[in-house]
Coordinates of all heavy atoms in Angstrom, one line a residue:
R148 N 186.8 1.0 -91.0 CA 187.0 1.8 -89.8 C 185.6 2.3 -89.3 O 185.5 3.2 -88.5 CB 187.9 2.9 -90.0 CG 189.4 2.5 -90.3 CD 190.2 3.6 -90.4 NE 190.7 4.1 -89.2 CZ 191.7 4.8 -89.0 NH1 192.5 5.2 -90.1 NH2 192.1 5.2 -87.7
R149 N 184.5 1.7 -89.9 CA 183.2 2.1 -89.6 C 182.9 2.0 -88.1 O 182.2 2.9 -87.5 CB 182.2 1.3 -90.4 CG 180.8 1.8 -90.3 CD 179.9 1.0 -91.2 NE 178.6 1.6 -91.3 CZ 177.7 1.3 -92.2 NH1 178.0 0.3 -93.0 NH2 176.6 1.8 -92.2
E150 N 183.3 1.0 -87.4 CA 183.0 0.9 -86.0 C 183.6 1.9 -85.2 O 183.0 2.5 -84.3 CB 183.4 -0.5 -85.5 CG 182.5 -1.6 -86.0 CD 183.0 -3.0 -85.4 OE1 183.7 -3.0 -84.5 OE2 182.5 -4.0 -86.1
E151 N 184.8 2.2 -85.5 CA 185.6 3.4 -84.9 C 184.9 4.7 -85.1 O 184.8 5.5 -84.1 CB 187.0 3.3 -85.4 CG 187.9 4.4 -84.9 CD 189.2 4.4 -85.5 OE1 189.5 3.8 -86.5 OE2 190.1 5.3 -85.0
I152 N 184.5 4.9 -86.3 CA 183.9 6.2 -86.7 C 182.6 6.3 -85.9 O 182.2 7.3 -85.3 CB 183.7 6.2 -88.2 CG1 185.1 6.4 -88.9 CG2 182.7 7.3 -88.5 CD1 185.1 6.2 -90.3
D153 N 181.7 5.2 -85.9 CA 180.4 5.2 -85.3 C 180.5 5.4 -83.8 O 179.7 6.1 -83.2 CB 179.7 4.0 -85.7 CG 179.1 4.1 -87.1 OD1 179.3 5.1 -87.7 OD2 178.5 3.1 -87.5
L154 N 181.6 4.9 -83.2 CA 181.8 5.0 -81.8 C 182.1 6.4 -81.4 O 181.5 7.0 -80.5 CB 182.9 4.1 -81.3 CG 183.2 4.2 -79.9 CD1 182.1 3.8 -78.9 CD2 184.5 3.4 -79.5
Q155 N 183.0 7.1 -82.2 CA 183.3 8.5 -82.0 C 182.0 9.4 -82.2 O 181.8 10.3 -81.3 CB 184.3 8.9 -83.0 CG 185.7 8.5 -82.7 CD 186.3 9.2 -81.5 OE1 186.0 10.3 -81.2 NE2 187.1 8.4 -80.9
L156 N 181.2 9.1 -83.1 CA 180.0 9.8 -83.3 C 179.0 9.6 -82.2 O 178.4 10.6 -81.7 CB 179.4 9.5 -84.7 CG 180.1 10.0 -85.9 CD1 179.4 9.4 -87.1 CD2 180.1 11.5 -86.0
S157 N 178.8 8.4 -81.9 CA 177.8 8.1 -80.8 C 178.2 8.8 -79.5 O 177.3 9.2 -78.7 CB 177.9 6.5 -80.5 OG 177.3 5.9 -81.7
E158 N 179.5 8.8 -79.1 CA 179.9 9.4 -77.9 C 179.6 10.9 -77.9 O 179.5 11.5 -76.8 CB 181.4 9.3 -77.6 CG 181.8 7.8 -77.4 CD 183.2 7.5 -77.3 OE1 184.0 8.5 -77.6 OE2 183.6 6.4 -76.9
K159 N 179.5 11.6 -79.1 CA 179.2 13.0 -79.1 C 177.8 13.3 -79.2 O 177.4 14.5 -79.1 CB 180.0 13.6 -80.3 CG 181.5 13.5 -80.2 CD 182.0 14.1 -78.9 CE 183.5 13.8 -78.7 NZ 183.8 14.0 -77.3
L160 N 176.9 12.4 -79.5 CA 175.4 12.7 -79.6 C 174.9 13.0 -78.2 O 175.3 12.4 -77.2 CB 174.8 11.5 -80.2 CG 175.0 11.3 -81.7 CD1 174.3 10.0 -82.1 CD2 174.5 12.5 -82.6
A161 N 173.9 13.8 -78.2 CA 173.2 14.1 -76.9 C 172.6 12.8 -76.3 O 172.2 11.9 -77.1 CB 172.1 15.2 -77.1
Q162 N 172.4 13.0 -75.1 CA 171.8 11.7 -74.3 C 170.4 11.6 -74.9 O 169.6 12.5 -75.3 CB 171.7 12.1 -72.9 CG 171.2 10.8 -72.1 CD 171.2 11.1 -70.6 OE1 171.3 12.3 -70.2 NE2 171.1 10.1 -69.8
G163 N 170.1 10.2 -75.2 CA 168.8 9.8 -75.8 C 168.9 9.8 -77.3 O 167.9 9.3 -77.9
W164 N 169.9 10.2 -77.9 CA 170.0 10.1 -79.4 C 171.0 9.0 -79.8 O 171.9 8.6 -79.0 CB 170.7 11.4 -79.9 CG 169.7 12.5 -80.1 CD1 169.2 13.3 -79.2 CD2 169.0 12.8 -81.4 NE1 168.3 14.2 -79.7 CE2 168.2 13.9 -81.1 CE3 169.2 12.4 -82.7 CZ2 167.4 14.5 -82.0 CZ3 168.4 13.0 -83.6 CH2 167.5 14.1 -83.3
S165 N 170.7 8.4 -80.9 CA 171.6 7.3 -81.4 C 171.8 7.5 -82.9 O 171.1 8.3 -83.5 CB 170.8 5.9 -81.2 OG 169.7 5.9 -82.0
L166 N 172.7 6.9 -83.4 CA 173.0 7.0 -84.9 C 171.8 6.6 -85.7 O 171.5 7.1 -86.8 CB 174.2 6.1 -85.3 CG 175.6 6.6 -84.7 CD1 176.6 5.7 -85.2 CD2 175.9 8.0 -85.0
K167 N 171.0 5.6 -85.3 CA 169.9 5.2 -85.9 C 168.8 6.2 -86.1 O 167.9 6.2 -87.0 CB 169.2 4.0 -85.3 CG 170.0 2.8 -85.4 CD 169.5 1.6 -84.6 CE 170.4 0.3 -84.8 NZ 169.8 -0.8 -84.2
R168 N 168.8 7.2 -85.2 CA 167.8 8.3 -85.3 C 168.1 9.4 -86.2 O 167.4 10.2 -86.6 CB 167.8 8.9 -83.8 CG 166.6 9.7 -83.6 CD 166.5 10.0 -82.1 NE 165.5 11.1 -81.9 CZ 165.3 11.8 -80.9 NH1 166.0 11.6 -79.8 NH2 164.4 12.8 -80.9
L169 N 169.5 9.4 -86.7 CA 169.9 10.4 -87.8 C 169.4 10.1 -89.1 O 169.3 8.9 -89.5 CB 171.4 10.5 -87.7 CG 172.1 11.0 -86.5 CD1 173.6 10.9 -86.7 CD2 171.6 12.4 -86.1
D170 N 169.1 11.1 -89.9 CA 168.8 11.0 -91.2 C 170.0 10.3 -91.9 O 171.1 10.5 -91.6 CB 168.5 12.4 -91.8 CG 168.4 12.5 -93.3 OD1 167.2 12.3 -93.8 OD2 169.4 12.7 -93.9
K171 N 169.7 9.5 -93.0 CA 170.8 8.7 -93.6 C 171.8 9.7 -94.2 O 173.0 9.4 -94.2 CB 170.3 7.7 -94.7 CG 169.6 6.6 -94.0 CD 169.0 5.5 -95.0 CE 168.3 4.5 -94.3 NZ 167.9 3.4 -95.2
T172 N 171.4 10.7 -94.9 CA 172.3 11.6 -95.5 C 173.1 12.4 -94.4 O 174.4 12.4 -94.6 CB 171.6 12.7 -96.3 OG1 170.8 12.0 -97.3 CG2 172.5 13.6 -97.0
M173 N 172.6 12.7 -93.4 CA 173.3 13.3 -92.2 C 174.4 12.4 -91.7 O 175.5 12.8 -91.4 CB 172.3 13.8 -91.1 CG 173.1 14.3 -89.9 SD 174.0 15.9 -90.3 CE 172.6 17.0 -90.5
L174 N 174.0 11.1 -91.5 CA 174.9 10.2 -91.0 C 176.1 10.0 -91.9 O 177.2 9.9 -91.4 CB 174.2 8.8 -90.7 CG 175.0 7.7 -90.2 CD1 175.7 8.0 -88.9 CD2 174.2 6.4 -90.1
Q175 N 175.9 9.9 -93.1 CA 177.0 9.8 -94.1 C 178.0 11.0 -94.1 O 179.1 10.9 -94.2 CB 176.5 9.5 -95.5 CG 175.7 8.2 -95.6 CD 176.4 6.9 -94.9 OE1 177.6 6.8 -95.0 NE2 175.7 6.2 -94.1
V176 N 177.4 12.2 -94.0 CA 178.2 13.4 -94.0 C 179.0 13.3 -92.7 O 180.2 13.6 -92.7 CB 177.2 14.7 -93.9 CG1 178.1 15.9 -93.6 CG2 176.5 14.8 -95.3
L177 N 178.5 13.0 -91.5 CA 179.2 12.9 -90.3 C 180.3 11.8 -90.3 O 181.4 12.0 -89.8 CB 178.3 12.7 -89.1 CG 177.3 13.9 -88.8 CD1 176.3 13.4 -87.8 CD2 178.1 15.0 -88.3
R178 N 179.9 10.7 -91.0 CA 181.0 9.6 -91.0 C 182.1 10.0 -91.9 O 183.2 9.7 -91.6 CB 180.3 8.4 -91.6 CG 179.4 7.6 -90.7 CD 178.8 6.4 -91.3 NE 178.2 5.5 -90.3 CZ 177.2 4.7 -90.6 NH1 176.8 4.5 -91.9 NH2 176.8 3.8 -89.7
C179 N 181.8 10.6 -93.0 CA 182.9 11.1 -93.9 C 183.8 12.1 -93.2 O 185.1 12.0 -93.3 CB 182.4 11.6 -95.2 SG 181.6 10.5 -96.3
G180 N 183.2 13.1 -92.5 CA 184.0 14.1 -91.8 C 184.8 13.5 -90.7 O 186.0 13.9 -90.5
T181 N 184.2 12.5 -90.0 CA 184.9 11.8 -88.9 C 186.0 11.0 -89.4 O 187.1 11.1 -88.8 CB 184.0 11.0 -88.1 OG1 182.9 11.8 -87.5 CG2 184.7 10.2 -86.9
Y182 N 185.9 10.4 -90.5 CA 186.9 9.6 -91.2 C 188.1 10.5 -91.5 O 189.3 10.2 -91.1 CB 186.5 8.9 -92.4 CG 187.7 8.3 -93.1 CD1 188.2 7.1 -92.8 CD2 188.2 9.0 -94.3 CE1 189.3 6.6 -93.4 CE2 189.4 8.4 -94.9 CZ 189.9 7.2 -94.4 OH 191.0 6.7 -95.1
E183 N 187.9 11.7 -92.0 CA 189.0 12.5 -92.4 C 189.6 13.1 -91.1 O 190.9 13.2 -91.1 CB 188.5 13.7 -93.2 CG 188.2 13.4 -94.7 CD 188.2 14.5 -95.6 OE1 188.7 15.6 -95.4 OE2 187.4 14.4 -96.6
L184 N 189.0 13.3 -90.1 CA 189.6 13.8 -88.9 C 190.4 12.7 -88.3 O 191.5 13.0 -87.8 CB 188.5 14.2 -87.8 CG 187.8 15.5 -88.2 CD1 186.5 15.7 -87.3 CD2 188.7 16.7 -88.0
I185 N 190.1 11.4 -88.3 CA 190.8 10.4 -87.8 C 191.9 9.9 -88.7 O 193.1 9.8 -88.2 CB 189.9 9.1 -87.6 CG1 188.8 9.4 -86.4 CG2 190.7 7.8 -87.3 CD1 187.8 8.3 -86.3
A186 N 191.7 9.8 -89.9 CA 192.7 9.2 -90.9 C 193.5 10.1 -91.7 O 194.5 9.7 -92.3 CB 192.0 8.2 -91.7
R187 N 193.2 11.3 -91.8 CA 193.9 12.3 -92.7 C 194.4 13.5 -91.9 O 194.0 14.6 -91.9 CB 192.9 12.8 -93.7 CG 192.3 11.7 -94.7 CD 193.4 11.1 -95.6 NE 194.3 12.1 -96.2 CZ 194.0 12.7 -97.4 NH1 192.9 12.2 -98.1 NH2 194.9 13.5 -97.9
A188 N 195.5 13.2 -91.1 CA 196.1 14.2 -90.3 C 196.8 15.3 -91.2 O 197.0 16.4 -90.7 CB 197.2 13.6 -89.4
D189 N 196.9 15.1 -92.5 CA 197.5 16.0 -93.4 C 196.5 17.1 -93.7 O 196.9 18.1 -94.3 CB 198.0 15.3 -94.7 CG 196.9 14.5 -95.4 OD1 196.2 13.8 -94.7 OD2 196.9 14.7 -96.6
I190 N 195.3 16.9 -93.4 CA 194.2 18.0 -93.7 C 193.9 18.8 -92.5 O 193.5 18.1 -91.5 CB 192.9 17.3 -94.3 CG1 193.3 16.5 -95.6 CG2 191.9 18.4 -94.5 CD1 192.1 15.7 -96.1
P191 N 194.1 20.0 -92.4 CA 193.9 20.9 -91.2 C 192.4 20.6 -90.7 O 191.5 20.5 -91.4 CB 194.0 22.2 -91.6 CG 194.9 22.2 -92.9 CD 194.5 20.8 -93.5
T192 N 192.3 20.6 -89.4 CA 191.0 20.3 -88.7 C 189.9 21.3 -89.2 O 188.8 20.9 -89.5 CB 191.2 20.5 -87.2 OG1 192.2 19.5 -86.7 CG2 189.8 20.3 -86.5
G193 N 190.3 22.6 -89.3 CA 189.4 23.6 -89.7 C 188.9 23.4 -91.1 O 187.7 23.6 -91.4
A194 N 189.7 22.9 -91.9 CA 189.3 22.7 -93.4 C 188.4 21.5 -93.4 O 187.4 21.6 -94.2 CB 190.7 22.3 -94.2
V195 N 188.6 20.5 -92.7 CA 187.8 19.3 -92.6 C 186.3 19.7 -92.2 O 185.3 19.4 -92.9 CB 188.2 18.2 -91.7 CG1 187.2 17.1 -91.6 CG2 189.5 17.7 -92.2
I196 N 186.3 20.4 -91.1 CA 185.0 20.8 -90.5 C 184.3 21.7 -91.5 O 183.1 21.5 -91.8 CB 185.1 21.4 -89.1 CG1 185.7 20.4 -88.2 CG2 183.8 22.1 -88.7 CD1 186.1 20.9 -86.8
S197 N 185.0 22.8 -92.0 CA 184.4 23.7 -92.9 C 183.9 23.0 -94.2 O 182.7 23.3 -94.7 CB 185.5 24.8 -93.4 OG 185.0 25.6 -94.3
E198 N 184.6 22.1 -94.7 CA 184.1 21.4 -95.9 C 182.8 20.6 -95.7 O 181.9 20.6 -96.4 CB 185.2 20.5 -96.5 CG 186.3 21.2 -97.1 CD 187.3 20.3 -97.8 OE1 187.0 19.1 -98.0 OE2 188.5 20.9 -98.0
Y199 N 182.8 19.9 -94.5 CA 181.6 19.1 -94.2 C 180.4 20.0 -93.8 O 179.2 19.6 -94.1 CB 181.9 17.9 -93.3 CG 182.6 16.9 -94.1 CD1 184.0 16.8 -94.1 CD2 182.0 16.1 -94.9 CE1 184.7 15.9 -94.8 CE2 182.6 15.2 -95.7 CZ 184.0 15.1 -95.7 OH 184.6 14.2 -96.5
V200 N 180.6 21.2 -93.3 CA 179.6 22.1 -93.0 C 179.0 22.6 -94.3 O 177.8 22.7 -94.6 CB 180.1 23.3 -92.1 CG1 179.0 24.5 -92.1 CG2 180.3 22.9 -90.7
D201 N 179.8 22.9 -95.3 CA 179.5 23.3 -96.7 C 178.6 22.1 -97.3 O 177.6 22.4 -98.0 CB 180.6 23.6 -97.5 CG 181.3 24.9 -97.2 OD1 180.7 25.7 -96.4 OD2 182.4 25.2 -97.7
V202 N 179.0 20.9 -97.1 CA 178.3 19.7 -97.7 C 176.8 19.7 -97.0 O 175.9 19.5 -97.7 CB 179.1 18.4 -97.5 CG1 178.1 17.2 -97.8 CG2 180.3 18.3 -98.3
A203 N 176.8 19.9 -95.7 CA 175.5 19.9 -95.1 C 174.6 21.1 -95.6 O 173.4 20.9 -95.8 CB 175.8 20.1 -93.6
H204 N 175.2 22.2 -95.9 CA 174.4 23.3 -96.5 C 173.7 22.9 -97.8 O 172.7 23.4 -98.1 CB 175.3 24.5 -96.7 CG 175.6 25.4 -95.5 ND1 174.5 26.1 -94.9 CD2 176.7 25.7 -94.9 CE1 175.0 26.7 -93.9 NE2 176.3 26.5 -93.8
A205 N 174.4 22.0 -98.5 CA 173.8 21.6 -99.8 C 172.5 20.7 -99.6 O 171.7 20.8 -100.5 CB 174.9 20.7 -100.6
F206 N 172.4 20.2 -98.4 CA 171.2 19.3 -98.2 C 170.2 19.8 -97.1 O 169.1 19.4 -97.1 CB 171.7 17.9 -97.7 CG 172.4 17.2 -98.8 CD1 173.9 17.1 -98.7 CD2 171.8 16.5 -99.7 CE1 174.6 16.5 -99.6 CE2 172.5 15.8 -100.8 CZ 173.9 15.8 -100.7
Y207 N 170.8 20.7 -96.2 CA 170.0 21.1 -95.1 C 170.0 22.6 -94.8 O 170.7 23.3 -95.4 CB 170.6 20.4 -93.8 CG 170.5 18.9 -93.9 CD1 171.7 18.2 -94.2 CD2 169.4 18.1 -93.7 CE1 171.7 16.8 -94.2 CE2 169.5 16.8 -93.7 CZ 170.6 16.1 -94.0 OH 170.6 14.7 -94.0
E208 N 169.1 22.9 -93.9 CA 169.1 24.4 -93.5 C 170.2 24.6 -92.5 O 171.1 23.8 -92.1 CB 167.8 24.7 -92.8 CG 166.6 24.4 -93.7 CD 166.6 25.3 -94.9 OE1 166.9 26.5 -94.7 OE2 166.1 24.9 -96.0
R209 N 170.4 25.9 -92.0 CA 171.4 26.4 -91.2 C 171.5 25.5 -89.8 O 172.6 25.3 -89.3 CB 171.1 27.9 -90.8 CG 172.2 28.4 -89.9 CD 171.8 30.0 -89.7 NE 172.8 30.5 -88.8 CZ 173.8 31.2 -89.1 NH1 174.1 31.5 -90.4 NH2 174.6 31.8 -88.2
R210 N 170.4 25.1 -89.2 CA 170.4 24.4 -87.9 C 171.1 23.1 -88.1 O 172.0 22.8 -87.3 CB 169.0 24.1 -87.5 CG 168.9 23.6 -86.1 CD 167.5 23.4 -85.7 NE 167.3 22.0 -85.4 CZ 166.3 21.3 -85.7 NH1 165.3 21.8 -86.5 NH2 166.2 20.1 -85.2
E211 N 170.9 22.4 -89.1 CA 171.7 21.1 -89.3 C 173.1 21.3 -89.6 O 173.9 20.5 -89.2 CB 171.0 20.3 -90.4 CG 169.7 19.7 -90.1 CD 168.5 20.6 -90.3 OE1 168.7 21.9 -90.7 OE2 167.3 20.2 -90.1
S212 N 173.5 22.4 -90.4 CA 174.8 22.7 -90.6 C 175.6 22.9 -89.3 O 176.7 22.6 -89.1 CB 175.0 23.8 -91.6 OG 174.3 23.6 -92.8
G213 N 174.9 23.7 -88.4 CA 175.5 23.9 -87.1 C 175.7 22.6 -86.3 O 176.6 22.5 -85.6
F214 N 174.8 21.7 -86.5 CA 174.9 20.3 -85.8 C 176.2 19.6 -86.3 O 176.9 19.1 -85.6 CB 173.6 19.6 -86.1 CG 173.7 18.1 -85.6 CD1 173.6 17.9 -84.3 CD2 173.8 17.1 -86.5 CE1 173.6 16.6 -83.8 CE2 173.8 15.8 -86.0 CZ 173.7 15.6 -84.7
V215 N 176.4 19.7 -87.6 CA 177.6 19.1 -88.2 C 178.8 19.7 -87.6 O 179.8 19.0 -87.2 CB 177.6 19.2 -89.7 CG1 178.9 18.7 -90.3 CG2 176.4 18.3 -90.3
N216 N 178.9 21.1 -87.6 CA 179.9 21.8 -87.1 C 180.2 21.4 -85.6 O 181.4 21.1 -85.3 CB 179.7 23.3 -87.2 CG 180.8 24.2 -86.7 OD1 181.9 24.1 -87.2 ND2 180.6 25.0 -85.7
G217 N 179.3 21.4 -84.8 CA 179.5 21.1 -83.4 C 179.9 19.6 -83.2 O 180.8 19.4 -82.3
L218 N 179.4 18.7 -83.9 CA 179.7 17.3 -83.7 C 181.1 17.0 -84.2 O 181.9 16.4 -83.5 CB 178.6 16.4 -84.4 CG 178.6 15.0 -83.9 CD1 177.9 15.0 -82.5 CD2 177.8 14.1 -84.8
L219 N 181.5 17.5 -85.4 CA 182.8 17.3 -85.8 C 183.8 18.0 -85.0 O 185.0 17.5 -84.8 CB 182.9 17.7 -87.3 CG 182.1 16.8 -88.3 CD1 182.3 17.4 -89.7 CD2 182.5 15.3 -88.2
D220 N 183.5 19.2 -84.4 CA 184.4 19.8 -83.7 C 184.7 19.0 -82.3 O 185.8 18.9 -81.9 CB 183.9 21.2 -83.2 CG 184.9 22.1 -82.3 OD1 185.9 22.2 -82.8 OD2 184.4 22.3 -81.2
G221 N 183.6 18.4 -81.8 CA 183.8 17.6 -80.6 C 184.6 16.4 -81.0 O 185.4 15.9 -80.2
V222 N 184.4 15.8 -82.1 CA 185.2 14.6 -82.5 C 186.7 15.0 -82.6 O 187.6 14.3 -82.2 CB 184.6 13.9 -83.8 CG1 185.7 13.0 -84.4 CG2 183.3 13.3 -83.6
S223 N 186.9 16.2 -83.3 CA 188.3 16.6 -83.5 C 189.1 16.7 -82.2 O 190.3 16.5 -82.1 CB 188.3 17.9 -84.2 OG 187.9 19.0 -83.5
K224 N 188.4 17.1 -81.2 CA 189.1 17.4 -79.9 C 189.5 16.1 -79.2 O 190.4 16.1 -78.5 CB 188.1 18.2 -78.9 CG 188.0 19.7 -79.3 CD 187.1 20.4 -78.5 CE 187.1 21.9 -79.1 NZ 185.9 22.6 -78.7
D225 N 188.8 15.0 -79.6 CA 189.2 13.7 -79.1 C 190.3 13.0 -80.0 O 191.1 12.4 -79.5 CB 188.0 12.7 -79.0 CG 187.1 13.1 -77.9 OD1 187.5 13.8 -77.0 OD2 186.0 12.5 -77.8
V226 N 190.2 13.2 -81.3 CA 191.1 12.4 -82.1 C 192.3 13.2 -82.6 O 193.3 12.6 -83.1 CB 190.4 11.9 -83.3 CG1 189.2 10.9 -82.9 CG2 189.8 13.0 -84.3
R227 N 192.3 14.5 -82.4 CA 193.4 15.3 -82.8 C 193.9 16.1 -81.6 O 193.5 17.2 -81.3 CB 193.1 16.3 -84.0 CG 192.8 15.6 -85.2 CD 192.8 16.5 -86.4 NE 192.7 15.8 -87.6 CZ 192.8 16.3 -88.7 NH1 192.9 17.6 -88.9 NH2 192.6 15.6 -89.9
K228 N 194.9 15.5 -80.9 CA 195.4 16.2 -79.7 C 196.8 16.8 -79.9 O 197.5 16.5 -80.8 CB 195.4 15.2 -78.6 CG 194.0 14.7 -78.3 CD 194.1 13.6 -77.2 CE 192.7 13.2 -77.1 NZ 192.4 12.3 -76.0

């Protein structure tokens, strides 16, 4: 489902940004979170986002964790209606 996941992420990035521009670790965090939002309807949206924000905290500072939060929130609004 990588193409589906990457499409969702690409649509939420700011103009001028691409997935290639993201750090590899950040890209994988976002891909995993997006997968759970798409494929695991049994896991509440807030739990998915919170867990991946926590994962981001392990690798990054607050700014990047906020980026994960915002991007996954945007994805969730498209895939969980």
Side-chain angles (χ1 to χ4, degrees):
R148 299 182 80 164
R149 188 177 190 169
E150 288 179 20
E151 176 185 9
I152 290 165
D153 285 355
L154 178 63
Q155 285 291 329
L156 290 171
S157 294
E158 290 176 353
K159 297 302 171 202
L160 290 173
Q162 187 175 14
W164 277 79
S165 68
L166 294 180
K167 290 180 182 181
R168 199 169 163 195
L169 296 175
D170 172 87
K171 289 182 182 186
T172 303
M173 175 62 73
L174 179 56
Q175 297 311 316
V176 169
L177 293 169
R178 280 178 171 158
C179 290
T181 300
Y182 171 80
E183 282 197 31
L184 290 168
I185 292 170
R187 297 294 311 269
D189 58 312
I190 302 173
T192 301
V195 172
I196 294 171
S197 178
E198 286 184 19
Y199 285 96
V200 167
D201 288 346
V202 171
H204 276 298
F206 296 98
Y207 301 102
E208 300 296 323
R209 181 179 175 99
R210 188 174 126 228
E211 288 86 353
S212 299
F214 175 72
V215 169
N216 183 56
L218 204 72
L219 292 180
D220 182 59
V222 168
S223 74
K224 290 176 179 164
D225 285 347
V226 300
R227 294 198 172 182
K228 297 177 182 184

